[in-house]
Amino acid sequence: MDINFEYYKIFYFVAKYGNITKAASALGRNQPNVTRVMKLLEAQLNCRLFIREARGIRLTEEGEFLYSHVEVAYKHFLNAQEEISRQNSQRYGTVEIGATETALHLFLLDILHRFKQDYPFIRIKIHNHTTPETIKHLISGKLDLAVITNPFDVPKMLSGIKVLDFEEILVGGSQYANLGKASLALEEVKEYPWIGLGRESATYHLYKNFFISHGIDLEPDMEVATSNLMLPLIVSNLGIGFVPKKLALPLLEERKLIQIHLSCDIPKRSIEIISDKGRGKSLAADTFYKFLLKEISYNDISE
């Protein structure tokens, strides 16, 4: 099927703006011309891509499917065009990174600071999703690489490098100070209100299985979208929950949090960098990836 690539560019703008007039303006074309091209594209693909509505257009199921691919391709073309137009392409461009909240705070922030000192003109876009969502976006091509927390199953087309082990602890607000006086069995704390990540996250399933392995079927009383939201809720005495020890330490020192010691071992956690080994990286993304590996190697030697 020989379809003019320009049709896909016009389709991208129409789908992006949800309005043919706005798309025509952004493209510097007239509305009838854009409408004609969209009809030609639909005819060549033998399907309907848009449904006209009072305020613009709505994508059909086929239109949504096509847009999910065209959007990725168009962004890659723009990134390539931008990098090639620079004399020193290694020091320019954009890197799309997927990162969980925990990976961002425990590992990525310090490295980003050093990277931007060395490469101030490389733009960084960070997308914050759960681990399963981040893996999905990486496979689809929307991300150059990802820094995520386990547990997760790495699909065969991806490669992973472990960069950091970290410890989680059970904490509560000052109202739960009585729980910090002795080591407790998991059974002894199950009746207290629990705060945890939502069931779409890998962390939810990790602790769900942890409780089940101890004969306890426990659901959080309060679910949050990101781990960054847990600490304020726990400090406000709305419940207890597992959080990274490093993030909890300042609040423990200020006595806004108390650590609840358990007689059983808490699951071990780690952070990994994952990338699509079958897809080439842009020059900017490759520069950042190599910078990450260099930082990891340096830290290993230092330790």
Side-chain angles (χ1 to χ4, degrees), residues 60-72:
T60 62
E61 185 176 346
E62 291 84 356
E64 291 280 3
F65 177 77
L66 180 62
Y67 181 66
S68 69
H69 289 276
V70 171
E71 180 187 25
V72 172

Side-chain angles (χ1 to χ4, degrees), residues 138-152:
L138 181 61
I139 292 172
S140 72
K142 293 181 178 179
L143 300 173
D144 293 307
L145 55 93
V147 186
I148 56 180
T149 45
N150 76 348
F152 56 86

Side-chain angles (χ1 to χ4, degrees), residues 129-161:
H129 302 289
T130 63
T131 292
E133 288 174 323
T134 299
I135 291 175
K136 180 180 177 182
H137 289 312
L138 181 61
I139 292 172
S140 72
K142 293 181 178 179
L143 300 173
D144 293 307
L145 55 93
V147 186
I148 56 180
T149 45
N150 76 348
F152 56 86
D153 294 323
V154 180
K156 292 182 178 179
M157 73 281 294
L158 303 180
S159 62
I161 301 173

